Amino acid sequence: MGTAGLVLGIIAAVGFCMWPLAIVVGVLGVIFGVAGRARARRGEATNAGQALAGIICGAFGTALGLGLAVLVIATA
């Protein structure tokens, strides 16, 4: 879960120019990151750092996607 959150968060942060996709992927990155942190806290996983990075990158990618969406809609 932590690795999936990290990968989705990176995709969202890097691909924010495709803002509809970045928003969805960023939210999924945060969800998987939170689930990965919970599993690491219970001792079922050892990648708590990757899960945290997924949460951060997913939130950042979502924020960038939302910012670009607002910019695109406001200028239209």
Side-chain angles (χ1 to χ4, degrees):
M1 289 289 197
T3 305
L6 178 62
V7 169
L8 290 172
I10 290 172
I11 290 171
V14 171
F16 75 94
C17 293
M18 299 177 288
W19 57 270
L21 182 65
I23 293 169
V24 173
V25 172
V27 170
L28 286 174
V30 171
I31 291 170
F32 279 113
V34 169
R37 290 281 289 183
R39 284 188 176 192
R41 195 172 303 121
R42 288 191 307 256
E44 297 174 3
T46 60
N47 57 353
Q50 288 180 351
L52 179 61
I55 294 169
I56 294 169
C57 289
F60 186 69
T62 301
L64 285 175
L66 286 172
L68 188 61
V70 168
L71 184 68
V72 166
I73 293 171
T75 58

Short mmCIF file of all heavy atoms in Angstrom, two decimals:
data_model
loop_
_atom_site.label_atom_id
_atom_site.label_comp_id
_atom_site.label_asym_id
_atom_site.label_seq_id
_atom_site.Cartn_x
_atom_site.Cartn_y
_atom_site.Cartn_z
N MET A 1 0.82 -1.19 0.00
CA MET A 1 0.00 0.00 0.00
C MET A 1 0.87 1.26 0.00
O MET A 1 0.54 2.22 -0.67
CB MET A 1 -0.91 0.03 1.22
CG MET A 1 -2.01 -0.97 1.20
SD MET A 1 -3.22 -0.47 -0.01
CE MET A 1 -4.57 -1.45 0.49
N GLY A 2 1.93 1.25 0.78
CA GLY A 2 2.79 2.41 0.84
C GLY A 2 3.47 2.69 -0.49
O GLY A 2 3.57 3.84 -0.92
N THR A 3 3.92 1.64 -1.15
CA THR A 3 4.57 1.80 -2.45
C THR A 3 3.57 2.29 -3.49
O THR A 3 3.90 3.16 -4.30
CB THR A 3 5.20 0.47 -2.90
OG1 THR A 3 6.09 0.02 -1.88
CG2 THR A 3 5.95 0.63 -4.20
N ALA A 4 2.36 1.76 -3.46
CA ALA A 4 1.33 2.21 -4.40
C ALA A 4 1.00 3.68 -4.15
O ALA A 4 0.83 4.45 -5.10
CB ALA A 4 0.08 1.36 -4.25
N GLY A 5 0.92 4.08 -2.89
CA GLY A 5 0.67 5.48 -2.58
C GLY A 5 1.77 6.38 -3.08
O GLY A 5 1.52 7.47 -3.60
N LEU A 6 3.02 5.93 -2.92
CA LEU A 6 4.16 6.71 -3.39
C LEU A 6 4.14 6.86 -4.91
O LEU A 6 4.33 7.96 -5.43
CB LEU A 6 5.47 6.06 -2.94
CG LEU A 6 6.75 6.75 -3.41
CD1 LEU A 6 6.84 8.15 -2.85
CD2 LEU A 6 7.96 5.94 -3.01
N VAL A 7 3.90 5.78 -5.61
CA VAL A 7 3.89 5.82 -7.07
C VAL A 7 2.76 6.73 -7.56
O VAL A 7 2.96 7.58 -8.43
CB VAL A 7 3.75 4.40 -7.66
CG1 VAL A 7 3.47 4.44 -9.14
CG2 VAL A 7 5.01 3.60 -7.38
N LEU A 8 1.57 6.59 -6.99
CA LEU A 8 0.45 7.42 -7.41
C LEU A 8 0.69 8.89 -7.05
O LEU A 8 0.34 9.79 -7.82
CB LEU A 8 -0.85 6.93 -6.76
CG LEU A 8 -1.37 5.59 -7.27
CD1 LEU A 8 -2.53 5.12 -6.42
CD2 LEU A 8 -1.77 5.69 -8.72
N GLY A 9 1.30 9.14 -5.91
CA GLY A 9 1.61 10.51 -5.52
C GLY A 9 2.61 11.16 -6.46
O GLY A 9 2.47 12.33 -6.83
N ILE A 10 3.62 10.41 -6.86
CA ILE A 10 4.62 10.94 -7.80
C ILE A 10 3.98 11.22 -9.16
O ILE A 10 4.23 12.25 -9.77
CB ILE A 10 5.82 9.98 -7.92
CG1 ILE A 10 6.62 9.99 -6.63
CG2 ILE A 10 6.70 10.35 -9.11
CD1 ILE A 10 7.70 8.94 -6.57
N ILE A 11 3.14 10.30 -9.61
CA ILE A 11 2.45 10.52 -10.89
C ILE A 11 1.59 11.77 -10.83
O ILE A 11 1.56 12.56 -11.77
CB ILE A 11 1.61 9.28 -11.26
CG1 ILE A 11 2.53 8.12 -11.63
CG2 ILE A 11 0.66 9.59 -12.42
CD1 ILE A 11 1.81 6.80 -11.81
N ALA A 12 0.90 11.98 -9.72
CA ALA A 12 0.05 13.17 -9.57
C ALA A 12 0.89 14.43 -9.54
O ALA A 12 0.52 15.45 -10.15
CB ALA A 12 -0.80 13.06 -8.31
N ALA A 13 2.00 14.41 -8.83
CA ALA A 13 2.84 15.60 -8.71
C ALA A 13 3.52 15.95 -10.03
O ALA A 13 3.66 17.13 -10.36
CB ALA A 13 3.87 15.41 -7.61
N VAL A 14 3.94 14.94 -10.77
CA VAL A 14 4.64 15.19 -12.02
C VAL A 14 3.66 15.51 -13.15
O VAL A 14 3.91 16.37 -13.98
CB VAL A 14 5.52 13.97 -12.40
CG1 VAL A 14 6.08 14.10 -13.79
CG2 VAL A 14 6.63 13.81 -11.39
N GLY A 15 2.50 14.85 -13.14
CA GLY A 15 1.55 15.02 -14.24
C GLY A 15 0.43 15.99 -13.92
O GLY A 15 -0.70 15.80 -14.38
N PHE A 16 0.70 17.03 -13.14
CA PHE A 16 -0.36 17.95 -12.76
C PHE A 16 -0.91 18.75 -13.94
O PHE A 16 -1.99 19.33 -13.84
CB PHE A 16 0.10 18.89 -11.64
CG PHE A 16 1.03 19.97 -12.09
CD1 PHE A 16 0.54 21.21 -12.44
CD2 PHE A 16 2.38 19.74 -12.16
CE1 PHE A 16 1.39 22.21 -12.84
CE2 PHE A 16 3.24 20.73 -12.56
CZ PHE A 16 2.76 21.97 -12.91
N CYS A 17 -0.18 18.77 -15.06
CA CYS A 17 -0.67 19.47 -16.24
C CYS A 17 -1.94 18.83 -16.78
O CYS A 17 -2.77 19.50 -17.38
CB CYS A 17 0.39 19.51 -17.33
SG CYS A 17 1.80 20.50 -16.87
N MET A 18 -2.08 17.54 -16.57
CA MET A 18 -3.32 16.84 -16.91
C MET A 18 -4.19 16.85 -15.65
O MET A 18 -4.38 15.83 -15.00
CB MET A 18 -3.02 15.42 -17.37
CG MET A 18 -2.15 15.36 -18.60
SD MET A 18 -1.73 13.69 -19.07
CE MET A 18 -0.57 13.25 -17.79
N TRP A 19 -4.69 18.03 -15.29
CA TRP A 19 -5.27 18.26 -13.98
C TRP A 19 -6.43 17.36 -13.60
O TRP A 19 -6.54 16.99 -12.44
CB TRP A 19 -5.60 19.73 -13.79
CG TRP A 19 -6.52 20.33 -14.79
CD1 TRP A 19 -6.18 20.94 -15.95
CD2 TRP A 19 -7.94 20.40 -14.72
NE1 TRP A 19 -7.29 21.37 -16.62
CE2 TRP A 19 -8.39 21.05 -15.88
CE3 TRP A 19 -8.88 19.96 -13.79
CZ2 TRP A 19 -9.73 21.29 -16.14
CZ3 TRP A 19 -10.22 20.20 -14.04
CH2 TRP A 19 -10.64 20.85 -15.20
N PRO A 20 -7.34 16.94 -14.51
CA PRO A 20 -8.39 16.04 -14.03
C PRO A 20 -7.82 14.69 -13.55
O PRO A 20 -8.23 14.16 -12.52
CB PRO A 20 -9.30 15.84 -15.25
CG PRO A 20 -9.01 16.99 -16.14
CD PRO A 20 -7.58 17.35 -15.90
N LEU A 21 -6.86 14.19 -14.29
CA LEU A 21 -6.22 12.94 -13.91
C LEU A 21 -5.37 13.11 -12.66
O LEU A 21 -5.36 12.25 -11.77
CB LEU A 21 -5.36 12.42 -15.06
CG LEU A 21 -4.65 11.09 -14.84
CD1 LEU A 21 -5.67 9.97 -14.71
CD2 LEU A 21 -3.70 10.81 -15.97
N ALA A 22 -4.67 14.22 -12.55
CA ALA A 22 -3.81 14.46 -11.40
C ALA A 22 -4.61 14.55 -10.11
O ALA A 22 -4.15 14.08 -9.06
CB ALA A 22 -3.01 15.75 -11.60
N ILE A 23 -5.80 15.14 -10.16
CA ILE A 23 -6.63 15.24 -8.96
C ILE A 23 -7.05 13.86 -8.49
O ILE A 23 -6.93 13.52 -7.31
CB ILE A 23 -7.83 16.16 -9.22
CG1 ILE A 23 -7.36 17.60 -9.45
CG2 ILE A 23 -8.83 16.10 -8.07
CD1 ILE A 23 -8.44 18.52 -9.97
N VAL A 24 -7.52 13.04 -9.42
CA VAL A 24 -7.98 11.69 -9.07
C VAL A 24 -6.83 10.83 -8.56
O VAL A 24 -6.93 10.18 -7.52
CB VAL A 24 -8.67 11.02 -10.28
CG1 VAL A 24 -8.99 9.57 -10.00
CG2 VAL A 24 -9.92 11.78 -10.66
N VAL A 25 -5.72 10.85 -9.27
CA VAL A 25 -4.56 10.04 -8.89
C VAL A 25 -3.96 10.55 -7.58
O VAL A 25 -3.53 9.76 -6.73
CB VAL A 25 -3.51 10.03 -10.03
CG1 VAL A 25 -2.24 9.36 -9.59
CG2 VAL A 25 -4.08 9.34 -11.25
N GLY A 26 -3.97 11.85 -7.36
CA GLY A 26 -3.45 12.41 -6.12
C GLY A 26 -4.28 11.99 -4.91
O GLY A 26 -3.74 11.63 -3.86
N VAL A 27 -5.59 12.01 -5.06
CA VAL A 27 -6.47 11.57 -3.97
C VAL A 27 -6.26 10.09 -3.69
O VAL A 27 -6.19 9.67 -2.53
CB VAL A 27 -7.95 11.88 -4.31
CG1 VAL A 27 -8.88 11.22 -3.32
CG2 VAL A 27 -8.17 13.38 -4.34
N LEU A 28 -6.11 9.30 -4.74
CA LEU A 28 -5.84 7.87 -4.55
C LEU A 28 -4.49 7.66 -3.87
O LEU A 28 -4.34 6.77 -3.03
CB LEU A 28 -5.87 7.13 -5.89
CG LEU A 28 -7.26 6.91 -6.49
CD1 LEU A 28 -7.13 6.30 -7.88
CD2 LEU A 28 -8.10 6.03 -5.60
N GLY A 29 -3.50 8.48 -4.21
CA GLY A 29 -2.20 8.39 -3.57
C GLY A 29 -2.28 8.67 -2.08
O GLY A 29 -1.64 7.99 -1.27
N VAL A 30 -3.08 9.66 -1.71
CA VAL A 30 -3.26 9.97 -0.29
C VAL A 30 -3.96 8.82 0.41
O VAL A 30 -3.57 8.41 1.51
CB VAL A 30 -4.03 11.29 -0.12
CG1 VAL A 30 -4.43 11.51 1.32
CG2 VAL A 30 -3.20 12.46 -0.62
N ILE A 31 -4.99 8.27 -0.21
CA ILE A 31 -5.74 7.17 0.40
C ILE A 31 -4.84 5.95 0.60
O ILE A 31 -4.82 5.35 1.69
CB ILE A 31 -6.97 6.82 -0.45
CG1 ILE A 31 -7.99 7.95 -0.37
CG2 ILE A 31 -7.59 5.50 -0.01
CD1 ILE A 31 -9.13 7.82 -1.35
N PHE A 32 -4.10 5.59 -0.43
CA PHE A 32 -3.20 4.44 -0.30
C PHE A 32 -2.08 4.71 0.70
O PHE A 32 -1.64 3.82 1.41
CB PHE A 32 -2.60 4.05 -1.66
CG PHE A 32 -3.52 3.22 -2.50
CD1 PHE A 32 -4.05 3.72 -3.67
CD2 PHE A 32 -3.85 1.93 -2.13
CE1 PHE A 32 -4.89 2.96 -4.46
CE2 PHE A 32 -4.68 1.15 -2.92
CZ PHE A 32 -5.21 1.67 -4.09
N GLY A 33 -1.62 5.95 0.75
CA GLY A 33 -0.58 6.31 1.72
C GLY A 33 -1.07 6.18 3.15
O GLY A 33 -0.36 5.67 4.03
N VAL A 34 -2.29 6.64 3.41
CA VAL A 34 -2.86 6.53 4.75
C VAL A 34 -3.07 5.06 5.12
O VAL A 34 -2.77 4.64 6.24
CB VAL A 34 -4.19 7.32 4.84
CG1 VAL A 34 -4.93 7.00 6.12
CG2 VAL A 34 -3.91 8.81 4.74
N ALA A 35 -3.54 4.27 4.16
CA ALA A 35 -3.71 2.84 4.42
C ALA A 35 -2.36 2.17 4.67
O ALA A 35 -2.24 1.29 5.54
CB ALA A 35 -4.42 2.18 3.25
N GLY A 36 -1.34 2.57 3.94
CA GLY A 36 -0.01 2.02 4.14
C GLY A 36 0.58 2.39 5.49
O GLY A 36 1.23 1.57 6.15
N ARG A 37 0.34 3.64 5.92
CA ARG A 37 0.81 4.04 7.26
C ARG A 37 0.11 3.25 8.35
O ARG A 37 0.73 2.88 9.34
CB ARG A 37 0.56 5.54 7.47
CG ARG A 37 1.41 6.46 6.65
CD ARG A 37 2.77 6.62 7.20
NE ARG A 37 2.74 7.40 8.44
CZ ARG A 37 3.81 7.74 9.11
NH1 ARG A 37 4.99 7.40 8.65
NH2 ARG A 37 3.73 8.42 10.21
N ALA A 38 -1.17 3.00 8.16
CA ALA A 38 -1.91 2.22 9.15
C ALA A 38 -1.37 0.79 9.23
O ALA A 38 -1.22 0.24 10.33
CB ALA A 38 -3.39 2.21 8.80
N ARG A 39 -1.08 0.20 8.08
CA ARG A 39 -0.51 -1.15 8.09
C ARG A 39 0.88 -1.17 8.73
O ARG A 39 1.23 -2.12 9.44
CB ARG A 39 -0.43 -1.71 6.67
CG ARG A 39 -1.75 -2.16 6.15
CD ARG A 39 -1.59 -2.87 4.85
NE ARG A 39 -2.89 -3.38 4.42
CZ ARG A 39 -3.03 -4.23 3.44
NH1 ARG A 39 -1.97 -4.66 2.77
NH2 ARG A 39 -4.22 -4.64 3.11
N ALA A 40 1.67 -0.16 8.47
CA ALA A 40 3.01 -0.09 9.08
C ALA A 40 2.90 0.10 10.58
O ALA A 40 3.70 -0.46 11.34
CB ALA A 40 3.81 1.04 8.45
N ARG A 41 1.93 0.87 11.01
CA ARG A 41 1.74 1.09 12.45
C ARG A 41 1.33 -0.21 13.16
O ARG A 41 1.70 -0.45 14.30
CB ARG A 41 0.67 2.16 12.67
CG ARG A 41 0.66 2.72 14.07
CD ARG A 41 -0.28 3.91 14.21
NE ARG A 41 0.07 4.98 13.27
CZ ARG A 41 -0.77 5.48 12.34
NH1 ARG A 41 -1.97 5.00 12.24
NH2 ARG A 41 -0.38 6.44 11.55
N ARG A 42 0.54 -1.06 12.46
CA ARG A 42 0.13 -2.34 13.03
C ARG A 42 1.21 -3.40 12.92
O ARG A 42 1.04 -4.50 13.44
CB ARG A 42 -1.14 -2.84 12.33
CG ARG A 42 -2.38 -2.06 12.67
CD ARG A 42 -3.63 -2.76 12.17
NE ARG A 42 -3.56 -3.06 10.75
CZ ARG A 42 -4.20 -2.40 9.79
NH1 ARG A 42 -4.94 -1.36 10.11
NH2 ARG A 42 -4.10 -2.76 8.53
N GLY A 43 2.28 -3.12 12.20
CA GLY A 43 3.36 -4.08 12.05
C GLY A 43 3.21 -5.00 10.87
O GLY A 43 3.96 -5.96 10.72
N GLU A 44 2.24 -4.74 10.00
CA GLU A 44 2.02 -5.59 8.83
C GLU A 44 2.89 -5.19 7.65
O GLU A 44 2.98 -5.93 6.67
CB GLU A 44 0.55 -5.52 8.41
CG GLU A 44 -0.41 -6.04 9.46
CD GLU A 44 -1.85 -5.83 9.09
OE1 GLU A 44 -2.12 -5.33 7.97
OE2 GLU A 44 -2.72 -6.14 9.91
N ALA A 45 3.52 -4.03 7.72
CA ALA A 45 4.37 -3.54 6.63
C ALA A 45 5.56 -2.81 7.22
O ALA A 45 5.55 -2.41 8.38
CB ALA A 45 3.57 -2.61 5.71
N THR A 46 6.58 -2.64 6.40
CA THR A 46 7.80 -1.98 6.87
C THR A 46 8.12 -0.71 6.08
O THR A 46 9.20 -0.18 6.22
CB THR A 46 9.00 -2.93 6.76
OG1 THR A 46 9.16 -3.32 5.39
CG2 THR A 46 8.81 -4.15 7.64
N ASN A 47 7.19 -0.24 5.27
CA ASN A 47 7.49 0.90 4.40
C ASN A 47 6.68 2.14 4.81
O ASN A 47 6.04 2.78 4.00
CB ASN A 47 7.24 0.55 2.95
CG ASN A 47 5.83 0.06 2.69
OD1 ASN A 47 5.06 -0.15 3.61
ND2 ASN A 47 5.51 -0.12 1.43
N ALA A 48 6.77 2.50 6.08
CA ALA A 48 6.05 3.66 6.58
C ALA A 48 6.55 4.95 5.92
O ALA A 48 5.77 5.87 5.67
CB ALA A 48 6.18 3.76 8.09
N GLY A 49 7.83 5.02 5.63
CA GLY A 49 8.39 6.20 4.97
C GLY A 49 7.86 6.39 3.57
O GLY A 49 7.56 7.51 3.15
N GLN A 50 7.74 5.31 2.84
CA GLN A 50 7.18 5.40 1.49
C GLN A 50 5.72 5.82 1.54
O GLN A 50 5.25 6.59 0.70
CB GLN A 50 7.30 4.06 0.77
CG GLN A 50 8.70 3.72 0.37
CD GLN A 50 8.78 2.38 -0.35
OE1 GLN A 50 7.81 1.63 -0.39
NE2 GLN A 50 9.94 2.09 -0.90
N ALA A 51 4.99 5.31 2.52
CA ALA A 51 3.59 5.69 2.66
C ALA A 51 3.46 7.17 2.98
O ALA A 51 2.60 7.86 2.44
CB ALA A 51 2.92 4.84 3.75
N LEU A 52 4.33 7.68 3.85
CA LEU A 52 4.30 9.11 4.18
C LEU A 52 4.65 9.95 2.96
O LEU A 52 4.01 10.98 2.70
CB LEU A 52 5.27 9.40 5.32
CG LEU A 52 5.36 10.86 5.75
CD1 LEU A 52 4.02 11.36 6.25
CD2 LEU A 52 6.43 11.03 6.80
N ALA A 53 5.63 9.52 2.20
CA ALA A 53 5.98 10.23 0.97
C ALA A 53 4.82 10.20 -0.02
O ALA A 53 4.59 11.17 -0.74
CB ALA A 53 7.23 9.62 0.35
N GLY A 54 4.07 9.11 -0.06
CA GLY A 54 2.89 9.03 -0.92
C GLY A 54 1.81 10.01 -0.50
O GLY A 54 1.17 10.64 -1.34
N ILE A 55 1.64 10.17 0.81
CA ILE A 55 0.66 11.14 1.31
C ILE A 55 1.09 12.55 0.92
O ILE A 55 0.28 13.35 0.43
CB ILE A 55 0.53 11.02 2.84
CG1 ILE A 55 -0.10 9.68 3.21
CG2 ILE A 55 -0.31 12.17 3.40
CD1 ILE A 55 -0.04 9.36 4.69
N ILE A 56 2.36 12.86 1.11
CA ILE A 56 2.85 14.21 0.81
C ILE A 56 2.79 14.49 -0.69
O ILE A 56 2.28 15.54 -1.11
CB ILE A 56 4.28 14.38 1.36
CG1 ILE A 56 4.27 14.32 2.87
CG2 ILE A 56 4.91 15.68 0.86
CD1 ILE A 56 5.63 14.20 3.51
N CYS A 57 3.29 13.58 -1.50
CA CYS A 57 3.28 13.79 -2.95
C CYS A 57 1.87 13.82 -3.51
O CYS A 57 1.55 14.60 -4.41
CB CYS A 57 4.10 12.71 -3.66
SG CYS A 57 5.86 12.82 -3.40
N GLY A 58 1.00 12.96 -2.98
CA GLY A 58 -0.39 12.95 -3.42
C GLY A 58 -1.11 14.24 -3.09
O GLY A 58 -1.85 14.80 -3.91
N ALA A 59 -0.89 14.76 -1.89
CA ALA A 59 -1.51 16.03 -1.50
C ALA A 59 -0.95 17.17 -2.34
O ALA A 59 -1.70 18.06 -2.77
CB ALA A 59 -1.27 16.28 -0.02
N PHE A 60 0.35 17.16 -2.58
CA PHE A 60 0.98 18.20 -3.40
C PHE A 60 0.46 18.14 -4.83
O PHE A 60 0.14 19.18 -5.43
CB PHE A 60 2.50 18.02 -3.36
CG PHE A 60 3.25 19.11 -4.05
CD1 PHE A 60 3.28 20.39 -3.54
CD2 PHE A 60 3.96 18.85 -5.22
CE1 PHE A 60 3.98 21.40 -4.18
CE2 PHE A 60 4.66 19.84 -5.86
CZ PHE A 60 4.66 21.13 -5.35
N GLY A 61 0.37 16.94 -5.40
CA GLY A 61 -0.15 16.79 -6.77
C GLY A 61 -1.60 17.20 -6.88
O GLY A 61 -2.01 17.82 -7.86
N THR A 62 -2.39 16.87 -5.86
CA THR A 62 -3.80 17.28 -5.86
C THR A 62 -3.91 18.80 -5.78
O THR A 62 -4.72 19.41 -6.49
CB THR A 62 -4.54 16.63 -4.68
OG1 THR A 62 -4.43 15.20 -4.79
CG2 THR A 62 -6.00 17.01 -4.67
N ALA A 63 -3.10 19.41 -4.92
CA ALA A 63 -3.13 20.87 -4.80
C ALA A 63 -2.71 21.54 -6.10
O ALA A 63 -3.32 22.53 -6.52
CB ALA A 63 -2.23 21.31 -3.66
N LEU A 64 -1.68 21.02 -6.74
CA LEU A 64 -1.25 21.58 -8.02
C LEU A 64 -2.33 21.41 -9.08
O LEU A 64 -2.61 22.32 -9.87
CB LEU A 64 0.05 20.93 -8.50
CG LEU A 64 1.33 21.36 -7.81
CD1 LEU A 64 2.49 20.51 -8.32
CD2 LEU A 64 1.60 22.82 -8.04
N GLY A 65 -2.95 20.23 -9.12
CA GLY A 65 -4.03 19.98 -10.08
C GLY A 65 -5.22 20.89 -9.85
O GLY A 65 -5.80 21.43 -10.80
N LEU A 66 -5.60 21.07 -8.58
CA LEU A 66 -6.71 21.97 -8.28
C LEU A 66 -6.37 23.41 -8.61
O LEU A 66 -7.21 24.16 -9.13
CB LEU A 66 -7.10 21.85 -6.81
CG LEU A 66 -7.85 20.58 -6.42
CD1 LEU A 66 -8.01 20.50 -4.91
CD2 LEU A 66 -9.19 20.51 -7.11
N GLY A 67 -5.14 23.81 -8.33
CA GLY A 67 -4.71 25.17 -8.68
C GLY A 67 -4.75 25.41 -10.17
O GLY A 67 -5.21 26.47 -10.63
N LEU A 68 -4.30 24.45 -10.94
CA LEU A 68 -4.32 24.59 -12.39
C LEU A 68 -5.75 24.57 -12.90
O LEU A 68 -6.09 25.31 -13.83
CB LEU A 68 -3.50 23.49 -13.04
CG LEU A 68 -3.29 23.62 -14.55
CD1 LEU A 68 -2.54 24.91 -14.87
CD2 LEU A 68 -2.53 22.43 -15.10
N ALA A 69 -6.61 23.76 -12.29
CA ALA A 69 -8.01 23.72 -12.70
C ALA A 69 -8.67 25.08 -12.47
O ALA A 69 -9.42 25.58 -13.32
CB ALA A 69 -8.75 22.63 -11.94
N VAL A 70 -8.41 25.67 -11.32
CA VAL A 70 -8.97 27.00 -11.02
C VAL A 70 -8.45 28.02 -12.02
O VAL A 70 -9.21 28.87 -12.52
CB VAL A 70 -8.64 27.41 -9.56
CG1 VAL A 70 -8.94 28.87 -9.33
CG2 VAL A 70 -9.40 26.53 -8.59
N LEU A 71 -7.18 27.94 -12.32
CA LEU A 71 -6.57 28.88 -13.28
C LEU A 71 -7.19 28.71 -14.67
O LEU A 71 -7.52 29.70 -15.33
CB LEU A 71 -5.07 28.66 -13.33
CG LEU A 71 -4.28 29.63 -14.20
CD1 LEU A 71 -4.31 31.02 -13.59
CD2 LEU A 71 -2.85 29.16 -14.35
N VAL A 72 -7.37 27.48 -15.11
CA VAL A 72 -7.93 27.22 -16.44
C VAL A 72 -9.38 27.67 -16.49
O VAL A 72 -9.81 28.32 -17.46
CB VAL A 72 -7.80 25.72 -16.79
CG1 VAL A 72 -8.65 25.36 -17.98
CG2 VAL A 72 -6.36 25.37 -17.05
N ILE A 73 -10.15 27.38 -15.46
CA ILE A 73 -11.56 27.76 -15.46
C ILE A 73 -11.72 29.27 -15.33
O ILE A 73 -12.60 29.87 -15.95
CB ILE A 73 -12.30 27.00 -14.34
CG1 ILE A 73 -12.33 25.51 -14.68
CG2 ILE A 73 -13.69 27.54 -14.13
CD1 ILE A 73 -12.83 24.62 -13.57
N ALA A 74 -10.87 29.91 -14.53
CA ALA A 74 -10.97 31.35 -14.35
C ALA A 74 -10.60 32.12 -15.60
O ALA A 74 -11.14 33.20 -15.86
CB ALA A 74 -10.08 31.78 -13.19
N THR A 75 -9.69 31.61 -16.40
CA THR A 75 -9.27 32.32 -17.60
C THR A 75 -10.17 32.03 -18.79
O THR A 75 -10.07 32.72 -19.81
CB THR A 75 -7.82 31.97 -17.98
OG1 THR A 75 -7.71 30.56 -18.17
CG2 THR A 75 -6.86 32.44 -16.91
N ALA A 76 -11.04 31.05 -18.68
CA ALA A 76 -11.91 30.70 -19.80
C ALA A 76 -13.09 31.62 -19.96
O ALA A 76 -13.49 32.44 -19.30
CB ALA A 76 -12.44 29.28 -19.63
#
